[in-house]
Amino acid sequence: MYEAVSRLAARAGRTFGSGERGLARSLALVATAAALAVPPLAAPLAQTAQVAPAQQIAPRPFPDAPESFADLVERVMPAVVNIQAATTAEVEERFMPQLPPGTPFEDLFEEFFNRRGESAPRMPRRSNSLGSGFVIDASGVIVTNNHVIGDADEIEVVFPDGTTYEAEVVGTDSAIDLAVLKIEADVELPFVPFGESEEMRIGDWVVAIGNPFGLGGSVSAGIVSARARDIASGPYDNYIQTDAAINRGNSGGPLFNMRGEVVGINTAILSPTGGSVGIGFSIPTSTALPVIEQLQRYGETRRGWLGVRIQSIDETTADALGLDEARGALVAGVDPAGPAMDAGIEMGDVIVRFDGVAVESSRDLPRIVANTPVGKEVAVEVIRNGERTTLDVTIARLREDGVAEASAPDAPKSDDAPAAVRQALGMELSEITDELRARYAIADDVEGVVVTDVDPLSAASERQIREGDVILEVGQEPVSTPQEVAERIEGLRAEGRRSALLLVSNADGEVRFVALAMNEDAGDAK
């Protein structure tokens, strides 16, 4: 085998010339690898197995790669379409340059620009965008990305055979970046089915079809590079990452598994050049299907709402909470008007299971709740003070109009009483006086201990605790004086805790949990 590949490498060097001698070198490397891969004798193998059997991975027959994707592509290609969206925008009015007063010929400039503005016609500007989509129903229902159509006035759908239809928007969702279109045709249209994206494994083959750079009907193949990718595009990030070539214009196109089922909708790329570098992202069908169904049914998205503000749990926070591992979503606030409040969920609870689904991290919960039907009663499992509790919650509809404005604090009252000051965990702490309440704009209804200084080298500084923040709780117990803070920290250390969990409010009224590691001398009050 080694000699055969070596001869092939030598022949490749003569055939491809100097410009492609890298291929010959690569073939030579392949030959070397092939030589190294020749199995040794049975005796050394048996000896190795006796020395370290636990470290060996059982070999499996290497499956053959697909000889061709042609059959799959031929079957699904008729349902993949190009999307052409046109938007008409008004041209901005002409304006005269701002000239300093007393500029020579100022009057002439003004007369010139006014006259030119009156005589020159104002033509609307038309912009076009290209993208991809696919038919999901024979009646003409099409899925694409929301950013492909935007605020388009006209949308055309072009099939591979050149047939063109005008499309109407059924509904859009900017949070997931999906849009559903509808076209009217005299014939039943080819369509593709959805598959189970959760069944896809890293390394599985996938095929992307779309309209990159206006080159309709382009096909690329690759593998699933990663799952559940968070690219910081929104609260529901859960992308499939693939190395199948995805470029501008592929947006809205399908990502197929080897059965010809859509398992993702191509939507974004990570690229310093603007072209494919092998890092593309697709919305998995597990995330997209509930949205698509709601857009078809209601013309809008109706997401579930729990009414909690959550934050992530790291190892330090888990230790401060007495958890065995860093998992779940920490409740940092409960909306008084939300279903969580009615069900008895409290600030400081750790949500670990929602409607039978494990909540591994805080970013899992918004997606799970959003996909829950409005009005459904679900079981929410929380850890509270080290014990598991299950609460029944009836899910409400997510409000899309934002949060209510906070009321302004009343005018501070004068108070000349001195404040008690102590130091703990790298912070200088003080009782809240009217003077400090006015200095840091602390609302009258906020009670706790104000931070008046932070050591820049302390863990408190690293955790973004700032001067003017108010510590409301230590170890999930309210505090009102620096002495109580110090005593609570000493109590946690006596319990064997390595971290202290603080409930902190900033000047804007935002409340969050902060876990601070306790060194041997960090909790000493001074």
Side-chain angles (χ1 to χ4, degrees):
M1 176 179 178
Y2 175 80
E3 291 78 9
V5 178
S6 298
R7 290 196 298 272
L8 178 60
R11 187 163 60 251
R14 293 193 300 272
T15 304
F16 297 119
S18 59
E20 300 181 358
R21 292 191 183 277
L23 178 59
R25 288 195 295 270
S26 299
L27 287 171
L29 290 174
V30 170
T32 304
L36 294 175
V38 174
L41 297 177
L45 274 176
Q47 183 178 3
T48 304
Q50 294 174 358
V51 173
Q55 298 179 2
Q56 290 190 358
I57 299 176
R60 300 182 62 185
F62 189 85
D64 294 333
E67 293 184 1
S68 174
F69 299 100
D71 290 340
L72 184 153
V73 172
E74 184 177 1
R75 189 168 70 253
V76 301
M77 179 75 84
V80 182
V81 298
N82 300 340
I83 307 292
Q84 300 178 359
T87 305
T88 303
E90 292 291 336
V91 176
E92 297 181 359
E93 295 185 10
R94 290 189 172 90
F95 64 94
M96 189 181 80
Q98 297 296 316
L99 303 175
T103 300
F105 309 113
E106 180 179 0
D107 294 339
L108 294 177
F109 270 110
E110 184 175 358
E111 181 181 355
F112 170 77
F113 278 100
N114 286 340
R115 184 172 64 251
R116 186 180 180 191
E118 293 174 359
S119 60
R122 295 178 58 190
M123 300 295 293
R125 184 178 61 187
R126 195 167 180 80
S127 61
N128 297 282
S129 65
L130 297 175
S132 307
F134 54 99
V135 184
I136 64 170
D137 187 89
S139 63
V141 181
I142 295 172
V143 172
T144 185
N145 281 148
N146 177 59
H147 77 261
V148 169
I149 61 171
D151 297 322
D153 303 314
E154 297 179 8
I155 303 172
E156 289 188 344
V157 174
V158 183
F159 281 77
D161 62 0
T163 307
T164 302
Y165 297 92
E166 290 188 5
E168 294 183 356
V169 178
V170 175
T172 62
D173 180 64
S174 58
I176 301 294
D177 193 17
L178 287 176
V180 175
L181 311 178
K182 182 70 167 65
I183 62 175
E184 298 297 335
D186 297 332
V187 297
E188 288 193 353
L189 298 170
F191 65 96
V192 287
F194 285 106
E196 295 290 340
S197 59
E198 294 304 304
E199 294 180 357
M200 300 299 293
R201 300 184 302 166
I202 297 174
D204 280 346
W205 283 102
V206 285
V207 172
I209 304 179
N211 184 32
F213 301 107
L215 301 173
S218 293
V219 181
S220 59
I223 62 170
V224 174
S225 303
R227 291 183 51 192
R229 279 292 193 221
D230 183 356
I231 61 176
S233 67
Y236 312 116
D237 282 13
N238 181 35
Y239 292 101
I240 296 173
Q241 179 184 329
T242 178
D243 66 347
I246 297 175
N247 290 284
R248 295 177 181 176
N250 274 109
S251 292
L255 188 72
F256 292 102
N257 61 18
M258 291 298 95
R259 293 192 293 268
E261 300 168 332
V262 178
V263 293
I265 296 97
N266 303 321
T267 189
I269 61 173
L270 181 63
S271 171
T273 64
S276 174
V277 294
I279 304 178
F281 302 99
S282 299
I283 306 168
T285 54
S286 60
T287 300
L289 273 176
V291 174
I292 293 171
E293 291 171 357
Q294 290 185 16
L295 292 179
Q296 287 184 266
R297 183 174 182 180
Y298 307 113
E300 61 181 0
T301 306
R302 300 182 179 181
R303 291 189 171 88
W305 179 54
L306 182 59
V308 294
R309 185 166 55 84
I310 58 174
Q311 64 183 72
S312 59
I313 299 177
D314 56 16
E315 295 294 339
T316 304
T317 306
D319 178 74
L321 288 167
L323 303 178
D324 295 333
E325 55 182 338
R327 61 183 294 265
L330 176 60
V331 178
V334 182
D335 193 314
M341 176 69 74
D342 295 336
I345 293 178
E346 300 176 359
M347 187 165 53
D349 287 348
V350 178
I351 299 175
V352 293
R353 185 171 292 273
F354 184 93
D355 197 18
V357 180
V359 179
E360 298 296 336
S361 68
S362 60
R363 72 184 186 94
D364 293 338
L365 186 62
R367 185 176 65 254
I368 299 171
V369 174
N371 289 338
T372 304
V374 176
K376 181 180 180 181
E377 184 175 277
V378 301
V380 180
E381 185 176 335
V382 304
I383 297 178
R384 179 183 299 170
N385 298 325
E387 297 184 359
R388 290 180 179 261
T389 303
T390 300
L391 304 170
D392 294 327
V393 183
T394 301
I395 299 302
R397 183 179 176 184
L398 177 66
R399 299 173 300 179
E400 302 291 350
D401 55 352
V403 297
E405 295 182 359
S407 59
D410 297 333
K413 303 175 183 179
S414 60
D415 185 2
D416 296 330
V421 177
R422 288 181 179 270
Q423 292 182 350
L425 300 181
M427 301 174 290
E428 186 175 279
L429 307 174
S430 173
E431 295 180 5
I432 299 179
T433 64
D434 289 340
E435 187 274 330
L436 293 177
R437 198 179 289 275
R439 181 195 304 176
Y440 298 122
I442 303 172
D444 286 345
D445 59 349
V446 174
E447 299 295 338
V449 179
V450 64
V451 178
T452 57
D453 193 23
V454 181
D455 183 346
L457 300 180
S458 67
S461 178
E462 294 179 359
R463 293 278 178 160
Q464 306 300 313
I465 293 181
R466 298 290 180 259
E467 180 181 346
D469 287 349
V470 178
I471 298 176
L472 308 176
E473 296 179 0
V474 177
Q476 297 182 290
E477 292 186 7
V479 291
S480 58
T481 67
Q483 179 65 26
E484 290 180 355
V485 173
E487 290 175 355
R488 185 61 185 134
I489 290 172
E490 289 300 330
L492 292 173
R493 182 182 289 111
E495 295 173 7
R497 299 286 181 87
R498 294 173 297 176
S499 305
L501 186 68
L502 312 182
L503 181 62
V504 181
S505 173
N506 62 14
D508 296 328
E510 297 177 348
V511 180
R512 71 189 192 280
F513 284 100
V514 181
L516 299 181
M518 298 184 295
N519 298 325
E520 287 302 319
D521 59 347
D524 295 339
K526 298 180 181 178

